[in-house]
Amino acid sequence: MTGDVLALEAFARPPIRSLEELERLVRERPGLHVRYSEGPSSDRGGGSIDTESGLELPGLSVNPLDPEPWWTRPVADWLARQLCQYRHLAESNPERFAWVLEGRVVARGPDCEPLLADAVPVARLAEELLAEADARYRSEFDAGRGPEG
């Protein structure tokens, strides 16, 4: 199957609408990632661009949805944080949206984010899920605080 056919199949299903539904998917299918872009058809070339250097990256810039082994908080907290990390990309460009994908990690980007090759779309994320993630992130974390804060 081509990437366009896989994208159509993945996005023909209803989008994921809640953190609970996303958590269930992540538990059933380890190795999933989230990406904010104009979608699989737009990303077909397979690489992202590092905007600061202008260099093409060897894969798509993504955020992992599997919690790290050291994570002892609820999985929903991890998911909320991961979904909020790059949400600003969709907020600044209405053509971008959040979607779940799987693939092969081939490198790390300039912010140490995984870069994925051979991406296969899995699902689109509904706006109501992103709003729920944002609310959870703001209520459960000291959002935006750094080591000097």
Side-chain angles (χ1 to χ4, degrees):
M1 257 188 235
T2 68
D4 285 340
V5 172
L6 287 171
L8 288 174
E9 273 185 18
F11 293 149
R13 293 186 288 266
I16 296 173
R17 299 193 179 284
S18 69
L19 281 172
E20 181 180 347
E21 188 180 346
L22 180 58
E23 183 175 342
R24 193 169 38 254
L25 178 65
V26 166
R27 287 185 193 282
E28 291 170 1
R29 291 179 69 173
L32 297 177
H33 297 80
V34 65
R35 176 166 170 77
Y36 285 89
S37 75
E38 294 176 16
S41 296
S42 175
D43 290 337
R44 187 182 12 225
S48 298
I49 301 292
D50 173 35
T51 53
E52 289 183 10
S53 68
L55 296 173
E56 185 172 351
L57 302 172
L60 299 175
S61 180
V62 297
N63 251 9
L65 292 176
D66 292 330
E68 290 291 328
W70 53 263
W71 188 260
T72 58
R73 294 176 63 153
V75 172
D77 284 355
W78 174 270
L79 294 173
R81 189 171 181 179
Q82 294 302 87
L83 294 178
C84 290
Q85 290 303 305
Y86 291 100
R87 188 163 184 206
H88 65 278
L89 295 174
E91 292 169 348
S92 63
N93 178 350
E95 300 296 315
R96 288 179 183 249
F97 59 90
W99 54 289
V100 175
L101 63 160
E102 58 190 353
R104 185 171 46 88
V105 176
V106 292
R108 296 272 173 189
D111 295 325
C112 210
E113 75 280 13
L115 301 177
L116 231 53
D118 306 322
V120 176
V122 173
R124 190 170 177 153
L125 301 181
E127 186 56 41
E128 63 212 63
L129 163 59
L130 299 176
E132 179 188 359
D134 186 63
R136 185 173 188 125
Y137 182 57
R138 295 195 183 289
S139 72
E140 300 300 317
F141 293 89
D142 196 358
R145 183 174 180 197
E148 300 300 321

PDB file of all heavy atoms in Angstrom, residues 75-101:
ATOM      1  N   VAL A  75       0.047   7.652  33.008  1.00  0.00           N
ATOM      2  CA  VAL A  75       0.355   7.713  31.576  1.00  0.00           C
ATOM      3  C   VAL A  75      -0.346   8.908  30.936  1.00  0.00           C
ATOM      4  O   VAL A  75       0.211   9.568  30.060  1.00  0.00           O
ATOM      5  CB  VAL A  75      -0.039   6.386  30.879  1.00  0.00           C
ATOM      6  CG1 VAL A  75       0.083   6.490  29.366  1.00  0.00           C
ATOM      7  CG2 VAL A  75       0.826   5.244  31.400  1.00  0.00           C
ATOM      8  N   ALA A  76      -1.549   9.214  31.380  1.00  0.00           N
ATOM      9  CA  ALA A  76      -2.280  10.358  30.825  1.00  0.00           C
ATOM     10  C   ALA A  76      -1.512  11.662  31.030  1.00  0.00           C
ATOM     11  O   ALA A  76      -1.575  12.565  30.184  1.00  0.00           O
ATOM     12  CB  ALA A  76      -3.675  10.443  31.421  1.00  0.00           C
ATOM     13  N   ASP A  77      -0.774  11.789  32.143  1.00  0.00           N
ATOM     14  CA  ASP A  77       0.054  12.984  32.348  1.00  0.00           C
ATOM     15  C   ASP A  77       1.157  13.056  31.297  1.00  0.00           C
ATOM     16  O   ASP A  77       1.435  14.122  30.739  1.00  0.00           O
ATOM     17  CB  ASP A  77       0.696  12.969  33.743  1.00  0.00           C
ATOM     18  CG  ASP A  77      -0.278  13.316  34.857  1.00  0.00           C
ATOM     19  OD1 ASP A  77      -1.443  13.669  34.568  1.00  0.00           O
ATOM     20  OD2 ASP A  77       0.136  13.230  36.029  1.00  0.00           O
ATOM     21  N   TRP A  78       1.805  11.919  31.040  1.00  0.00           N
ATOM     22  CA  TRP A  78       2.857  11.878  30.016  1.00  0.00           C
ATOM     23  C   TRP A  78       2.287  12.293  28.656  1.00  0.00           C
ATOM     24  O   TRP A  78       2.864  13.115  27.948  1.00  0.00           O
ATOM     25  CB  TRP A  78       3.461  10.473  29.927  1.00  0.00           C
ATOM     26  CG  TRP A  78       4.435  10.302  28.808  1.00  0.00           C
ATOM     27  CD1 TRP A  78       4.158   9.900  27.536  1.00  0.00           C
ATOM     28  CD2 TRP A  78       5.843  10.544  28.842  1.00  0.00           C
ATOM     29  NE1 TRP A  78       5.298   9.872  26.776  1.00  0.00           N
ATOM     30  CE2 TRP A  78       6.351  10.263  27.560  1.00  0.00           C
ATOM     31  CE3 TRP A  78       6.714  10.969  29.842  1.00  0.00           C
ATOM     32  CZ2 TRP A  78       7.696  10.387  27.250  1.00  0.00           C
ATOM     33  CZ3 TRP A  78       8.058  11.089  29.524  1.00  0.00           C
ATOM     34  CH2 TRP A  78       8.533  10.804  28.248  1.00  0.00           C
ATOM     35  N   LEU A  79       1.149  11.717  28.305  1.00  0.00           N
ATOM     36  CA  LEU A  79       0.540  12.012  27.014  1.00  0.00           C
ATOM     37  C   LEU A  79       0.181  13.497  26.898  1.00  0.00           C
ATOM     38  O   LEU A  79       0.441  14.126  25.865  1.00  0.00           O
ATOM     39  CB  LEU A  79      -0.693  11.139  26.801  1.00  0.00           C
ATOM     40  CG  LEU A  79      -0.423   9.646  26.673  1.00  0.00           C
ATOM     41  CD1 LEU A  79      -1.734   8.862  26.644  1.00  0.00           C
ATOM     42  CD2 LEU A  79       0.448   9.330  25.471  1.00  0.00           C
ATOM     43  N   ALA A  80      -0.392  14.044  27.955  1.00  0.00           N
ATOM     44  CA  ALA A  80      -0.755  15.465  27.931  1.00  0.00           C
ATOM     45  C   ALA A  80       0.483  16.324  27.697  1.00  0.00           C
ATOM     46  O   ALA A  80       0.464  17.252  26.877  1.00  0.00           O
ATOM     47  CB  ALA A  80      -1.441  15.848  29.240  1.00  0.00           C
ATOM     48  N   ARG A  81       1.547  16.013  28.388  1.00  0.00           N
ATOM     49  CA  ARG A  81       2.782  16.790  28.234  1.00  0.00           C
ATOM     50  C   ARG A  81       3.339  16.658  26.817  1.00  0.00           C
ATOM     51  O   ARG A  81       3.743  17.638  26.204  1.00  0.00           O
ATOM     52  CB  ARG A  81       3.806  16.333  29.265  1.00  0.00           C
ATOM     53  CG  ARG A  81       5.026  17.217  29.312  1.00  0.00           C
ATOM     54  CD  ARG A  81       5.898  16.854  30.474  1.00  0.00           C
ATOM     55  NE  ARG A  81       7.048  17.738  30.523  1.00  0.00           N
ATOM     56  CZ  ARG A  81       7.976  17.669  31.437  1.00  0.00           C
ATOM     57  NH1 ARG A  81       7.902  16.776  32.397  1.00  0.00           N
ATOM     58  NH2 ARG A  81       8.993  18.492  31.408  1.00  0.00           N
ATOM     59  N   GLN A  82       3.366  15.440  26.284  1.00  0.00           N
ATOM     60  CA  GLN A  82       3.896  15.221  24.938  1.00  0.00           C
ATOM     61  C   GLN A  82       3.055  15.940  23.888  1.00  0.00           C
ATOM     62  O   GLN A  82       3.582  16.515  22.945  1.00  0.00           O
ATOM     63  CB  GLN A  82       3.969  13.727  24.616  1.00  0.00           C
ATOM     64  CG  GLN A  82       4.956  12.961  25.476  1.00  0.00           C
ATOM     65  CD  GLN A  82       6.374  13.496  25.371  1.00  0.00           C
ATOM     66  OE1 GLN A  82       6.785  14.407  26.083  1.00  0.00           O
ATOM     67  NE2 GLN A  82       7.124  12.939  24.455  1.00  0.00           N
ATOM     68  N   LEU A  83       1.743  15.923  24.055  1.00  0.00           N
ATOM     69  CA  LEU A  83       0.870  16.586  23.090  1.00  0.00           C
ATOM     70  C   LEU A  83       1.008  18.101  23.142  1.00  0.00           C
ATOM     71  O   LEU A  83       0.833  18.774  22.130  1.00  0.00           O
ATOM     72  CB  LEU A  83      -0.588  16.186  23.328  1.00  0.00           C
ATOM     73  CG  LEU A  83      -0.932  14.719  23.079  1.00  0.00           C
ATOM     74  CD1 LEU A  83      -2.400  14.470  23.398  1.00  0.00           C
ATOM     75  CD2 LEU A  83      -0.595  14.293  21.672  1.00  0.00           C
ATOM     76  N   CYS A  84       1.320  18.633  24.309  1.00  0.00           N
ATOM     77  CA  CYS A  84       1.419  20.092  24.454  1.00  0.00           C
ATOM     78  C   CYS A  84       2.768  20.659  24.027  1.00  0.00           C
ATOM     79  O   CYS A  84       2.867  21.862  23.766  1.00  0.00           O
ATOM     80  CB  CYS A  84       1.110  20.481  25.895  1.00  0.00           C
ATOM     81  SG  CYS A  84      -0.633  20.249  26.308  1.00  0.00           S
ATOM     82  N   GLN A  85       3.799  19.838  23.936  1.00  0.00           N
ATOM     83  CA  GLN A  85       5.146  20.335  23.647  1.00  0.00           C
ATOM     84  C   GLN A  85       5.237  21.098  22.330  1.00  0.00           C
ATOM     85  O   GLN A  85       5.966  22.072  22.231  1.00  0.00           O
ATOM     86  CB  GLN A  85       6.157  19.184  23.650  1.00  0.00           C
ATOM     87  CG  GLN A  85       6.412  18.606  25.012  1.00  0.00           C
ATOM     88  CD  GLN A  85       6.890  19.653  26.010  1.00  0.00           C
ATOM     89  OE1 GLN A  85       7.862  20.353  25.775  1.00  0.00           O
ATOM     90  NE2 GLN A  85       6.184  19.765  27.109  1.00  0.00           N
ATOM     91  N   TYR A  86       4.543  20.643  21.304  1.00  0.00           N
ATOM     92  CA  TYR A  86       4.646  21.288  19.993  1.00  0.00           C
ATOM     93  C   TYR A  86       3.298  21.766  19.468  1.00  0.00           C
ATOM     94  O   TYR A  86       3.147  22.030  18.289  1.00  0.00           O
ATOM     95  CB  TYR A  86       5.317  20.339  18.990  1.00  0.00           C
ATOM     96  CG  TYR A  86       6.769  20.117  19.310  1.00  0.00           C
ATOM     97  CD1 TYR A  86       7.200  18.980  19.979  1.00  0.00           C
ATOM     98  CD2 TYR A  86       7.717  21.084  18.975  1.00  0.00           C
ATOM     99  CE1 TYR A  86       8.535  18.800  20.304  1.00  0.00           C
ATOM    100  CE2 TYR A  86       9.054  20.911  19.302  1.00  0.00           C
ATOM    101  CZ  TYR A  86       9.454  19.762  19.960  1.00  0.00           C
ATOM    102  OH  TYR A  86      10.777  19.603  20.281  1.00  0.00           O
ATOM    103  N   ARG A  87       2.335  21.897  20.362  1.00  0.00           N
ATOM    104  CA  ARG A  87       1.007  22.349  19.935  1.00  0.00           C
ATOM    105  C   ARG A  87       1.054  23.733  19.313  1.00  0.00           C
ATOM    106  O   ARG A  87       0.249  24.070  18.443  1.00  0.00           O
ATOM    107  CB  ARG A  87       0.038  22.315  21.111  1.00  0.00           C
ATOM    108  CG  ARG A  87      -1.380  22.580  20.651  1.00  0.00           C
ATOM    109  CD  ARG A  87      -2.414  22.176  21.637  1.00  0.00           C
ATOM    110  NE  ARG A  87      -3.736  22.393  21.040  1.00  0.00           N
ATOM    111  CZ  ARG A  87      -4.801  22.615  21.724  1.00  0.00           C
ATOM    112  NH1 ARG A  87      -4.745  22.623  23.038  1.00  0.00           N
ATOM    113  NH2 ARG A  87      -5.950  22.803  21.131  1.00  0.00           N
ATOM    114  N   HIS A  88       2.014  24.535  19.714  1.00  0.00           N
ATOM    115  CA  HIS A  88       2.137  25.884  19.159  1.00  0.00           C
ATOM    116  C   HIS A  88       2.306  25.857  17.639  1.00  0.00           C
ATOM    117  O   HIS A  88       1.955  26.817  16.957  1.00  0.00           O
ATOM    118  CB  HIS A  88       3.300  26.638  19.820  1.00  0.00           C
ATOM    119  CG  HIS A  88       4.637  26.047  19.527  1.00  0.00           C
ATOM    120  ND1 HIS A  88       5.140  24.963  20.230  1.00  0.00           N
ATOM    121  CD2 HIS A  88       5.574  26.365  18.598  1.00  0.00           C
ATOM    122  CE1 HIS A  88       6.335  24.648  19.743  1.00  0.00           C
ATOM    123  NE2 HIS A  88       6.610  25.477  18.749  1.00  0.00           N
ATOM    124  N   LEU A  89       2.832  24.760  17.100  1.00  0.00           N
ATOM    125  CA  LEU A  89       3.002  24.659  15.646  1.00  0.00           C
ATOM    126  C   LEU A  89       1.649  24.689  14.938  1.00  0.00           C
ATOM    127  O   LEU A  89       1.500  25.322  13.890  1.00  0.00           O
ATOM    128  CB  LEU A  89       3.757  23.377  15.272  1.00  0.00           C
ATOM    129  CG  LEU A  89       5.199  23.291  15.752  1.00  0.00           C
ATOM    130  CD1 LEU A  89       5.779  21.913  15.446  1.00  0.00           C
ATOM    131  CD2 LEU A  89       6.045  24.392  15.133  1.00  0.00           C
ATOM    132  N   ALA A  90       0.667  24.003  15.501  1.00  0.00           N
ATOM    133  CA  ALA A  90      -0.677  24.000  14.919  1.00  0.00           C
ATOM    134  C   ALA A  90      -1.379  25.329  15.178  1.00  0.00           C
ATOM    135  O   ALA A  90      -2.145  25.795  14.339  1.00  0.00           O
ATOM    136  CB  ALA A  90      -1.496  22.846  15.472  1.00  0.00           C
ATOM    137  N   GLU A  91      -1.095  25.933  16.321  1.00  0.00           N
ATOM    138  CA  GLU A  91      -1.741  27.201  16.639  1.00  0.00           C
ATOM    139  C   GLU A  91      -1.253  28.324  15.739  1.00  0.00           C
ATOM    140  O   GLU A  91      -1.994  29.247  15.434  1.00  0.00           O
ATOM    141  CB  GLU A  91      -1.513  27.546  18.113  1.00  0.00           C
ATOM    142  CG  GLU A  91      -2.257  26.595  19.042  1.00  0.00           C
ATOM    143  CD  GLU A  91      -1.863  26.726  20.499  1.00  0.00           C
ATOM    144  OE1 GLU A  91      -0.844  27.393  20.807  1.00  0.00           O
ATOM    145  OE2 GLU A  91      -2.569  26.130  21.341  1.00  0.00           O
ATOM    146  N   SER A  92      -0.003  28.235  15.286  1.00  0.00           N
ATOM    147  CA  SER A  92       0.539  29.296  14.423  1.00  0.00           C
ATOM    148  C   SER A  92       0.308  29.025  12.935  1.00  0.00           C
ATOM    149  O   SER A  92       0.536  29.894  12.122  1.00  0.00           O
ATOM    150  CB  SER A  92       2.033  29.494  14.700  1.00  0.00           C
ATOM    151  OG  SER A  92       2.749  28.323  14.377  1.00  0.00           O
ATOM    152  N   ASN A  93      -0.146  27.812  12.589  1.00  0.00           N
ATOM    153  CA  ASN A  93      -0.420  27.474  11.196  1.00  0.00           C
ATOM    154  C   ASN A  93      -1.672  26.611  11.152  1.00  0.00           C
ATOM    155  O   ASN A  93      -1.621  25.431  11.495  1.00  0.00           O
ATOM    156  CB  ASN A  93       0.762  26.726  10.575  1.00  0.00           C
ATOM    157  CG  ASN A  93       0.519  26.315   9.136  1.00  0.00           C
ATOM    158  OD1 ASN A  93      -0.588  26.406   8.618  1.00  0.00           O
ATOM    159  ND2 ASN A  93       1.557  25.840   8.487  1.00  0.00           N
ATOM    160  N   PRO A  94      -2.803  27.170  10.726  1.00  0.00           N
ATOM    161  CA  PRO A  94      -4.060  26.417  10.749  1.00  0.00           C
ATOM    162  C   PRO A  94      -4.075  25.189   9.831  1.00  0.00           C
ATOM    163  O   PRO A  94      -4.959  24.341   9.962  1.00  0.00           O
ATOM    164  CB  PRO A  94      -5.108  27.442  10.308  1.00  0.00           C
ATOM    165  CG  PRO A  94      -4.353  28.562   9.705  1.00  0.00           C
ATOM    166  CD  PRO A  94      -2.965  28.527  10.247  1.00  0.00           C
ATOM    167  N   GLU A  95      -3.108  25.060   8.948  1.00  0.00           N
ATOM    168  CA  GLU A  95      -3.026  23.879   8.081  1.00  0.00           C
ATOM    169  C   GLU A  95      -2.439  22.668   8.821  1.00  0.00           C
ATOM    170  O   GLU A  95      -2.579  21.542   8.378  1.00  0.00           O
ATOM    171  CB  GLU A  95      -2.171  24.178   6.850  1.00  0.00           C
ATOM    172  CG  GLU A  95      -2.710  25.307   5.985  1.00  0.00           C
ATOM    173  CD  GLU A  95      -4.058  24.976   5.371  1.00  0.00           C
ATOM    174  OE1 GLU A  95      -4.212  23.846   4.859  1.00  0.00           O
ATOM    175  OE2 GLU A  95      -4.957  25.831   5.432  1.00  0.00           O
ATOM    176  N   ARG A  96      -1.764  22.926   9.934  1.00  0.00           N
ATOM    177  CA  ARG A  96      -1.143  21.834  10.700  1.00  0.00           C
ATOM    178  C   ARG A  96      -2.151  21.239  11.670  1.00  0.00           C
ATOM    179  O   ARG A  96      -2.992  21.943  12.205  1.00  0.00           O
ATOM    180  CB  ARG A  96       0.058  22.355  11.497  1.00  0.00           C
ATOM    181  CG  ARG A  96       1.248  22.692  10.647  1.00  0.00           C
ATOM    182  CD  ARG A  96       2.364  23.220  11.555  1.00  0.00           C
ATOM    183  NE  ARG A  96       3.506  23.611  10.779  1.00  0.00           N
ATOM    184  CZ  ARG A  96       4.663  22.968  10.782  1.00  0.00           C
ATOM    185  NH1 ARG A  96       4.832  21.911  11.542  1.00  0.00           N
ATOM    186  NH2 ARG A  96       5.659  23.384  10.044  1.00  0.00           N
ATOM    187  N   PHE A  97      -1.996  19.940  11.901  1.00  0.00           N
ATOM    188  CA  PHE A  97      -2.838  19.254  12.868  1.00  0.00           C
ATOM    189  C   PHE A  97      -2.018  18.140  13.511  1.00  0.00           C
ATOM    190  O   PHE A  97      -0.944  17.776  13.033  1.00  0.00           O
ATOM    191  CB  PHE A  97      -4.119  18.708  12.219  1.00  0.00           C
ATOM    192  CG  PHE A  97      -3.888  17.743  11.093  1.00  0.00           C
ATOM    193  CD1 PHE A  97      -3.784  16.377  11.335  1.00  0.00           C
ATOM    194  CD2 PHE A  97      -3.776  18.199   9.783  1.00  0.00           C
ATOM    195  CE1 PHE A  97      -3.568  15.481  10.291  1.00  0.00           C
ATOM    196  CE2 PHE A  97      -3.573  17.314   8.727  1.00  0.00           C
ATOM    197  CZ  PHE A  97      -3.463  15.951   8.983  1.00  0.00           C
ATOM    198  N   ALA A  98      -2.539  17.610  14.606  1.00  0.00           N
ATOM    199  CA  ALA A  98      -1.851  16.550  15.346  1.00  0.00           C
ATOM    200  C   ALA A  98      -2.308  15.191  14.836  1.00  0.00           C
ATOM    201  O   ALA A  98      -3.509  14.965  14.673  1.00  0.00           O
ATOM    202  CB  ALA A  98      -2.148  16.677  16.839  1.00  0.00           C
ATOM    203  N   TRP A  99      -1.338  14.327  14.602  1.00  0.00           N
ATOM    204  CA  TRP A  99      -1.661  12.967  14.171  1.00  0.00           C
ATOM    205  C   TRP A  99      -0.657  11.996  14.757  1.00  0.00           C
ATOM    206  O   TRP A  99       0.455  12.357  15.105  1.00  0.00           O
ATOM    207  CB  TRP A  99      -1.758  12.866  12.660  1.00  0.00           C
ATOM    208  CG  TRP A  99      -0.591  13.336  11.845  1.00  0.00           C
ATOM    209  CD1 TRP A  99      -0.181  14.627  11.652  1.00  0.00           C
ATOM    210  CD2 TRP A  99       0.314  12.527  11.083  1.00  0.00           C
ATOM    211  NE1 TRP A  99       0.918  14.663  10.819  1.00  0.00           N
ATOM    212  CE2 TRP A  99       1.243  13.393  10.441  1.00  0.00           C
ATOM    213  CE3 TRP A  99       0.431  11.152  10.871  1.00  0.00           C
ATOM    214  CZ2 TRP A  99       2.263  12.935   9.630  1.00  0.00           C
ATOM    215  CZ3 TRP A  99       1.455  10.699  10.046  1.00  0.00           C
ATOM    216  CH2 TRP A  99       2.343  11.586   9.432  1.00  0.00           C
ATOM    217  N   VAL A 100      -1.102  10.746  14.886  1.00  0.00           N
ATOM    218  CA  VAL A 100      -0.284   9.678  15.465  1.00  0.00           C
ATOM    219  C   VAL A 100       0.289   8.854  14.319  1.00  0.00           C
ATOM    220  O   VAL A 100      -0.395   8.574  13.330  1.00  0.00           O
ATOM    221  CB  VAL A 100      -1.134   8.789  16.398  1.00  0.00           C
ATOM    222  CG1 VAL A 100      -0.331   7.603  16.913  1.00  0.00           C
ATOM    223  CG2 VAL A 100      -1.678   9.610  17.558  1.00  0.00           C
ATOM    224  N   LEU A 101       1.565   8.471  14.485  1.00  0.00           N
ATOM    225  CA  LEU A 101       2.235   7.684  13.459  1.00  0.00           C
ATOM    226  C   LEU A 101       3.214   6.726  14.107  1.00  0.00           C
ATOM    227  O   LEU A 101       3.548   6.846  15.281  1.00  0.00           O
ATOM    228  CB  LEU A 101       2.949   8.591  12.460  1.00  0.00           C
ATOM    229  CG  LEU A 101       4.094   9.481  12.978  1.00  0.00           C
ATOM    230  CD1 LEU A 101       4.969   9.904  11.817  1.00  0.00           C
ATOM    231  CD2 LEU A 101       3.566  10.712  13.679  1.00  0.00           C
TER     232      LEU A 101
END
